[in-house]
Amino acid sequence: MQKHTYDPAAIESKWQNIWEERKAFRTPDDPKAWEGKPKYYILDMFPYTSGAGLHIGHPEGYTATDVLARMRRMQGYNVLHPMGWDSFGLTIERTAERENIHPAIVTRRNIDKFRQQIKQIGFSYDWDREISTSSPDYYKWTQWIFLKLYEKGLAYLADVPVNWCPALGTVLSNEEVKDGKYVETGDPVERRLMRQWMLKITAYADRLLKDIEEVDWPEGIKEMQRNWIGKSEGVEVDFAIKDTDASFTVFTTRPDTLFGATYCVFAPEHPLVEQMTTDAQRSAVQAYVDEARNKTDLQRTDLAKEKTGVFTGAYAINPANDKAVPIWVADYVLMGYGTGAIMAVPAEDDRDWEFAKTFDLPIVRTVQPPSDFGDEPYLGDGPSINSGFLNGLNIQDSKERMTEWLESKGKGKAQVQYRLRDWLFSRQRYWGEPFPTVQLEDGTIMSVPESELPVELPPIDEYKPTPDGKPPLARASDDWLMITLPDGRKGVRETNTMPQWAGSCWYYLRYMDAHNATEAWSAEAEHYWMPVDLYVGGAEHAVLHLLYARFWHKCYMIVALSPQRSHFKNSSIRHDPRLFLSG
Ligand code: ANZ
């Protein structure tokens, strides 16, 4: 009897070669081929092309989508099932530095490995639509999108605190820093203010939150996005500083507890701290502020950590009862949230309770706890006590009464806060998209004209910051770095680069029209292919990549409404892509 054996090396490579030659999985580009035929856009999270090649998680997701892609083709759909490479980033840059070769060479090597591995598995991708975020014909459009955001005021420069490692002359990410040291070398890291590009994602906080309802994603992922955006409804209350003309504002979600605010706390970076500190307290406050500067927000707000702080010598007037309450500086209050100052209510807040116990500050209950309640902060509901005109009301009614009272006296107003922060969009790295901007001698920032995009990465000698701590691009020759405008004004190019997230914010759109040299993607392709019908990606990207991508997607409306692309007006691009996540 004849023995049948399956010889994968012979059989699979034979068919894979035939698929390749005949372009068996080619998706038609010609709109004529779309007419009257249903479409199915099936998207995989594209891999970050580190040197390691595929990990088991990649084929796991890619297998599921491939089965479906093949089925949809057989059912008569035009199937868009593309693959590409998330190919800028630190890992590649580090390899380049170590081997002393150009990151583009490392990238090509890594991509070849990924492509070969993926092809070997036999997935049915349309390889004619392969994209790579680090290739100039792709990042040209990433730069173009950035310029659109900048034109609309959604990108701006600001001095923000970063993790600066003096020994390495570079900025580190929060993940690379532990206990004030760089995790790999143990070199000390300090917080330093640096001029950085920021994207104003907070301007979209409310829309990003509301429109989660329109996105067809697993509930867990949606909930993570809601928490990340962190909408918080409260009141801004004004406090006068005793014996001065100065005043300050706090943000609270518990205006009902105002009678129990027995002290106030400022973030160490608060601009009023220096002015209000008394001479007697000045050196102690200064020392505390200096120390706090080196801690990250995470370290500062760690609930388990011992509370630290220092009295400023100044007093605030509690607007509810006109009592003078001491003002402290403590690092558990962050400058980046609310107003950077709080009214502390130890009886109804854990952190304030602990702080009051540590520093022997008064505690006044304003909500009556149950009779058997111990010596702890009470966060539950109950009738207001020690609270004048609020006494007897429950928390919700007290909140409303107090808000009305504050507003009627001009001492406060209802306010919504978001936990979401603007997006720090600069990196002091080489292997990323250069910003298409120039700083002129008088300080003004100028966009590089669209006709001159892409701004390509210049050759440099070493993929390291300069000895005086400027980003690697500052090593470029003056031919690249220095600009002279036709009218003779001089300027210097931006030397920061964009973060790895930039390219992955819009790759699903480029696939639809991967070789378009005149537009990022055509309206026609977008009308046909969007939204994404099925997406499989990792849940670990729920709040960064997927939120950033939603933000950029919403920004395309801006483009849609600009005169050059008015044909976008009625396009489905206004809606979030309907994505599905595994995990
Ligand atoms: C008084 C109070 C009494 C508060 C009470 C809470 C409970 P969410 O809900 O997260 O928005 N807070 C305000 N700004 C802060 C800052 N910059 N750093 C640290 N804490 C800050 O939290 C709002 C509450 O967090 C605010 O309401 C304030 O404390 C604190 F029984 O005010 B609360």
Side-chain angles (χ1 to χ4, degrees):
M1 207 174 77
Q2 197 189 351
K3 202 172 151 209
H4 291 280
T5 53
Y6 180 67
D7 177 3
I11 295 172
E12 303 220 354
S13 64
K14 174 187 160 187
W15 285 105
Q16 284 165 15
N17 286 336
I18 291 173
W19 295 341
E20 179 107 9
E21 274 163 28
R22 298 189 188 163
K23 294 190 187 288
F25 309 113
R26 181 92 179 84
T27 309
D29 279 320
D30 184 358
K32 286 202 192 73
W34 303 341
E35 274 165 30
K37 213 172 164 189
K39 66 94 187 181
Y40 201 80
Y41 184 178
I42 183 160
L43 177 71
D44 287 306
M45 182 170 75
F46 65 168
Y48 172 57
T49 49
S50 72
L54 289 182
H55 60 69
I56 195 66
H58 291 123
E60 187 191 359
Y62 299 166
T63 302
T65 51
D66 204 68
V67 169
L68 195 70
R70 286 170 183 270
M71 185 182 88
R72 286 283 185 246
R73 282 190 204 98
M74 288 187 270
Q75 288 174 328
Y77 287 77
N78 277 325
V79 171
L80 178 57
H81 187 39
M83 183 42 70
W85 321 110
D86 187 9
S87 57
F88 269 135
L90 189 57
T91 318
I92 292 171
E93 183 165 326
R94 288 262 162 88
T95 311
E97 205 178 308
R98 223 173 22 245
E99 298 184 20
N100 202 21
I101 48 176
H102 196 282
I105 298 172
V106 180
T107 304
R108 207 172 312 132
R109 187 171 81 191
N110 293 357
I111 288 177
D112 286 344
K113 182 170 180 180
F114 270 82
R115 194 192 301 99
Q116 186 262 332
Q117 289 180 326
I118 290 177
K119 284 192 174 177
Q120 208 174 4
I121 300 175
F123 293 134
S124 64
Y125 293 115
D126 175 2
W127 290 106
D128 286 307
R129 287 170 191 262
E130 182 182 330
I131 57 166
S132 177
T133 54
S134 64
S135 79
D137 59 2
Y138 184 91
Y139 71 68
K140 167 181 177 166
W141 298 109
T142 311
Q143 291 173 338
W144 178 81
I145 294 168
F146 174 82
L147 286 182
K148 296 289 147 201
L149 298 178
Y150 180 53
E151 281 165 21
K152 298 290 171 184
L154 290 167
Y156 63 95
L157 282 162
D159 290 320
V160 292
V162 294
N163 302 310
W164 172 254
C165 177
L168 297 172
T170 189
V171 167
L172 300 168
S173 69
N174 284 340
E175 296 73 42
E176 292 174 305
V177 182
K178 199 164 176 248
D179 300 329
K181 297 198 173 81
Y182 176 39
V183 286
E184 281 191 27
T185 60
D187 289 309
V189 175
E190 52 189 63
R191 302 282 279 173
R192 199 194 238 201
L193 284 181
M194 277 179 71
R195 210 152 169 70
Q196 309 274 293
W197 278 105
M198 306 289 292
L199 294 189
K200 216 189 245 172
I201 190 170
T202 52
Y204 280 70
D206 212 36
R207 273 172 278 182
L208 287 166
L209 184 66
K210 279 204 202 100
D211 296 350
I212 289 177
E213 303 313 322
E214 290 182 28
V215 186
D216 182 13
W217 289 353
E219 190 47 42
I221 300 295
K222 289 163 65 164
E223 191 57 18
M224 282 166 84
Q225 291 214 343
R226 282 186 204 107
N227 291 337
W228 190 262
I229 296 166
K231 183 174 180 170
S232 176
E233 286 172 73
V235 179
E236 281 189 354
V237 185
D238 300 326
F239 283 70
I241 300 179
K242 190 173 173 242
D243 300 331
T244 72
D245 295 332
S247 67
F248 62 94
T249 305
V250 304
F251 172 70
T252 177
T253 46
R254 293 289 306 272
D256 60 297
T257 64
L258 183 53
F259 283 92
T262 53
Y263 64 101
C264 287
V265 186
F266 277 54
E269 307 86 346
H270 197 293
L272 273 182
V273 167
E274 200 184 323
Q275 183 189 326
M276 74 184 168
T277 298
T278 59
D279 288 340
Q281 291 299 98
R282 193 165 302 282
S283 60
V285 168
Q286 193 55 50
Y288 186 79
V289 169
D290 287 344
E291 205 181 305
R293 192 167 296 137
N294 290 331
K295 295 187 190 168
T296 64
D297 286 359
L298 218 58
Q299 289 169 327
R300 287 171 49 164
T301 50
D302 184 354
L303 283 176
K305 106 176 182 17
E306 208 177 297
K307 292 280 172 291
T308 61
V310 55
F311 178 42
T312 62
Y315 289 83
I317 304 298
N318 182 327
N321 54 19
D322 290 331
K323 282 196 182 144
V325 298
I327 304 175
W328 284 62
V329 174
D331 63 7
Y332 78 97
V333 174
L334 304 174
M335 196 56 223
Y337 188 66
T339 62
I342 64 156
M343 60 183 227
V345 184
E348 279 98 31
D349 181 89
D350 293 319
R351 288 167 305 177
D352 298 344
W353 174 277
E354 224 182 290
F355 193 85
K357 287 284 182 195
T358 309
F359 296 104
D360 207 14
L361 291 157
I363 298 175
V364 177
R365 288 203 189 278
T366 62
V367 181
Q368 180 68 58
S371 56
D372 57 348
F373 197 76
D375 187 32
E376 307 169 48
Y378 178 62
L379 277 57
D381 204 355
S384 284
I385 52 170
N386 303 319
S387 294
F389 61 91
L390 301 179
N391 284 342
L393 299 178
N394 67 18
I395 292 183
Q396 191 50 40
D397 292 344
S398 288
K399 277 186 181 175
E400 285 166 21
R401 251 330 276 292
M402 182 53 98
T403 308
E404 277 162 30
W405 183 83
L406 286 166
E407 286 186 336
S408 72
K409 298 270 174 209
K411 292 177 176 183
K413 58 175 191 310
Q415 179 72 29
V416 176
Q417 291 286 342
Y418 295 93
R419 200 148 286 282
L420 184 69
R421 297 275 71 101
D422 276 347
W423 173 9
L424 176 63
F425 200 65
S426 298
R427 297 293 182 273
Q428 292 68 46
R429 304 287 183 206
Y430 177 76
W431 198 230
E433 299 85 352
F435 283 94
T437 56
V438 171
Q439 179 165 10
L440 300 180
E441 277 167 325
D442 66 2
T444 48
I445 303 295
M446 204 193 90
S447 297
V448 171
E450 281 179 26
S451 59
E452 287 180 28
L453 299 183
V455 175
E456 289 200 41
L457 280 165
I460 57 171
D461 53 351
E462 270 189 287
Y463 307 103
K464 277 189 186 155
T466 63
D468 57 348
K470 294 211 189 84
L473 287 189
R475 292 176 176 273
S477 72
D478 284 355
D479 291 352
W480 187 86
L481 215 49
M482 310 308 277
I483 302 291
T484 306
L485 299 181
D487 63 9
R489 284 181 298 163
K490 290 191 176 358
V492 50
R493 282 191 199 274
E494 170 68 67
T495 54
N496 284 303
T497 51
M498 298 185 201
Q500 208 190 317
W501 307 111
S504 60
C505 268
W506 71 284
Y507 74 114
Y508 59 95
L509 293 161
R510 184 65 176 171
Y511 280 140
M512 300 185 301
D513 200 7
H515 305 293
N516 194 330
T518 54
E519 295 175 293
W521 67 88
S522 76
E524 215 171 9
E526 177 247 309
H527 276 303
Y528 184 66
W529 290 113
M530 285 303 285
V532 170
D533 295 280
L534 181 85
Y535 166 70
V536 175
E540 71 276 18
H541 294 296
V543 289
L544 294 172
H545 165 57
L546 288 177
L547 196 63
Y548 294 154
R550 287 186 61 219
F551 165 52
W552 276 37
H553 201 107
K554 291 187 176 302
C555 296
Y556 303 135
M557 276 212 44
I558 292 169
V559 180
L561 298 177
S562 73
Q564 311 91 295
R565 289 174 73 95
S566 54
H567 52 275
F568 266 49
K569 237 181 224 164
N570 299 316
S571 100
S572 62
I573 204 99
R574 293 204 217 170
H575 305 290
D576 283 282
R578 237 164 278 133
L579 301 183
F580 173 82
L581 272 146
S582 68

